[in-house]
mmCIF file of all heavy atoms in Angstrom:
data_model
loop_
_atom_site.group_PDB
_atom_site.id
_atom_site.type_symbol
_atom_site.label_atom_id
_atom_site.label_comp_id
_atom_site.label_asym_id
_atom_site.label_seq_id
_atom_site.Cartn_x
_atom_site.Cartn_y
_atom_site.Cartn_z
ATOM 1 N N PRO H 50 -20.466 20.358 18.711
ATOM 2 C CA PRO H 50 -20.287 21.203 19.867
ATOM 3 C C PRO H 50 -21.629 21.769 20.526
ATOM 4 O O PRO H 50 -21.636 21.966 21.695
ATOM 5 C CB PRO H 50 -19.421 22.466 19.307
ATOM 6 C CG PRO H 50 -18.783 21.832 18.148
ATOM 7 C CD PRO H 50 -19.784 20.851 17.525
ATOM 8 N N SER H 51 -22.624 21.858 19.680
ATOM 9 C CA SER H 51 -23.967 22.408 20.136
ATOM 10 C C SER H 51 -24.737 21.277 20.783
ATOM 11 O O SER H 51 -25.849 21.591 21.272
ATOM 12 C CB SER H 51 -24.685 23.036 19.006
ATOM 13 O OG SER H 51 -24.890 22.075 17.965
ATOM 14 N N ALA H 52 -24.343 20.029 20.737
ATOM 15 C CA ALA H 52 -25.113 18.931 21.333
ATOM 16 C C ALA H 52 -25.203 19.114 22.841
ATOM 17 O O ALA H 52 -24.391 19.559 23.462
ATOM 18 C CB ALA H 52 -24.485 17.621 21.041
ATOM 19 N N PRO H 53 -26.479 18.699 23.327
ATOM 20 C CA PRO H 53 -26.599 18.864 24.781
ATOM 21 C C PRO H 53 -25.622 18.001 25.617
ATOM 22 O O PRO H 53 -25.233 16.899 25.179
ATOM 23 C CB PRO H 53 -28.072 18.377 25.002
ATOM 24 C CG PRO H 53 -28.358 17.574 23.799
ATOM 25 C CD PRO H 53 -27.640 18.160 22.737
ATOM 26 N N SER H 54 -25.219 18.373 26.779
ATOM 27 C CA SER H 54 -24.241 17.697 27.589
ATOM 28 C C SER H 54 -24.804 16.286 27.911
ATOM 29 O O SER H 54 -24.032 15.307 28.091
ATOM 30 C CB SER H 54 -24.017 18.451 28.815
ATOM 31 O OG SER H 54 -25.155 18.632 29.541
ATOM 32 N N SER H 55 -26.093 16.144 28.001
ATOM 33 C CA SER H 55 -26.707 14.845 28.267
ATOM 34 C C SER H 55 -26.564 13.750 27.203
ATOM 35 O O SER H 55 -26.474 12.570 27.387
ATOM 36 C CB SER H 55 -28.220 14.926 28.504
ATOM 37 O OG SER H 55 -28.856 15.433 27.427
ATOM 38 N N ALA H 56 -26.114 14.332 26.012
ATOM 39 C CA ALA H 56 -25.865 13.464 24.806
ATOM 40 C C ALA H 56 -24.457 12.938 24.765
ATOM 41 O O ALA H 56 -24.040 12.011 24.086
ATOM 42 C CB ALA H 56 -26.202 14.142 23.471
ATOM 43 N N ARG H 57 -23.596 13.570 25.562
ATOM 44 C CA ARG H 57 -22.190 13.337 25.511
ATOM 45 C C ARG H 57 -21.799 11.993 26.253
ATOM 46 O O ARG H 57 -21.225 11.054 25.668
ATOM 47 C CB ARG H 57 -21.344 14.404 26.134
ATOM 48 C CG ARG H 57 -19.850 14.218 26.123
ATOM 49 C CD ARG H 57 -19.160 15.441 26.610
ATOM 50 N NE ARG H 57 -17.688 15.147 26.798
ATOM 51 C CZ ARG H 57 -16.882 15.093 25.738
ATOM 52 N NH1 ARG H 57 -17.305 15.268 24.496
ATOM 53 N NH2 ARG H 57 -15.541 14.858 25.861
ATOM 54 N N GLY H 58 -22.052 11.900 27.509
ATOM 55 C CA GLY H 58 -21.738 10.703 28.227
ATOM 56 C C GLY H 58 -20.207 10.515 28.392
ATOM 57 O O GLY H 58 -19.415 11.408 28.180
ATOM 58 N N VAL H 59 -19.774 9.319 28.697
ATOM 59 C CA VAL H 59 -18.429 8.904 28.792
ATOM 60 C C VAL H 59 -18.192 7.631 27.902
ATOM 61 O O VAL H 59 -19.140 6.898 27.679
ATOM 62 C CB VAL H 59 -17.977 8.620 30.201
ATOM 63 C CG1 VAL H 59 -17.998 10.031 31.002
ATOM 64 C CG2 VAL H 59 -18.797 7.638 30.852
ATOM 65 N N PRO H 60 -16.981 7.358 27.516
ATOM 66 C CA PRO H 60 -16.786 6.146 26.788
ATOM 67 C C PRO H 60 -17.076 4.896 27.596
ATOM 68 O O PRO H 60 -16.870 4.882 28.824
ATOM 69 C CB PRO H 60 -15.272 6.140 26.448
ATOM 70 C CG PRO H 60 -14.849 7.601 26.476
ATOM 71 C CD PRO H 60 -15.709 8.174 27.649
ATOM 72 N N ALA H 61 -17.660 3.835 26.925
ATOM 73 C CA ALA H 61 -18.021 2.586 27.467
ATOM 74 C C ALA H 61 -17.501 1.464 26.687
ATOM 75 O O ALA H 61 -16.928 1.791 25.570
ATOM 76 C CB ALA H 61 -19.554 2.522 27.725
ATOM 77 N N GLY H 62 -17.678 0.273 27.084
ATOM 78 C CA GLY H 62 -17.135 -0.876 26.302
ATOM 79 C C GLY H 62 -18.202 -2.018 26.264
ATOM 80 O O GLY H 62 -19.006 -2.096 27.189
ATOM 81 N N ARG H 63 -18.174 -2.773 25.192
ATOM 82 C CA ARG H 63 -18.918 -3.961 25.115
ATOM 83 C C ARG H 63 -18.080 -4.996 24.432
ATOM 84 O O ARG H 63 -17.356 -4.797 23.537
ATOM 85 C CB ARG H 63 -20.260 -3.698 24.310
ATOM 86 C CG ARG H 63 -20.141 -3.196 22.907
ATOM 87 C CD ARG H 63 -21.420 -3.366 22.085
ATOM 88 N NE ARG H 63 -22.526 -2.845 22.757
ATOM 89 C CZ ARG H 63 -23.342 -2.000 22.139
ATOM 90 N NH1 ARG H 63 -23.159 -1.600 20.867
ATOM 91 N NH2 ARG H 63 -24.478 -1.501 22.885
ATOM 92 N N VAL H 64 -18.404 -6.267 24.838
ATOM 93 C CA VAL H 64 -17.641 -7.408 24.226
ATOM 94 C C VAL H 64 -18.563 -8.052 23.233
ATOM 95 O O VAL H 64 -19.724 -8.451 23.576
ATOM 96 C CB VAL H 64 -17.176 -8.412 25.294
ATOM 97 C CG1 VAL H 64 -16.569 -9.626 24.654
ATOM 98 C CG2 VAL H 64 -16.223 -7.814 26.230
ATOM 99 N N VAL H 65 -18.156 -8.233 22.016
ATOM 100 C CA VAL H 65 -18.939 -8.834 20.892
ATOM 101 C C VAL H 65 -18.309 -10.332 20.697
ATOM 102 O O VAL H 65 -17.056 -10.407 20.448
ATOM 103 C CB VAL H 65 -18.816 -8.087 19.631
ATOM 104 C CG1 VAL H 65 -19.694 -8.657 18.592
ATOM 105 C CG2 VAL H 65 -19.290 -6.599 19.864
#
Side-chain angles (χ1 to χ4, degrees):
S51 59
S54 57
S55 59
R57 179 174 174 78
V59 296
R63 58 161 55 129
V64 176
V65 182

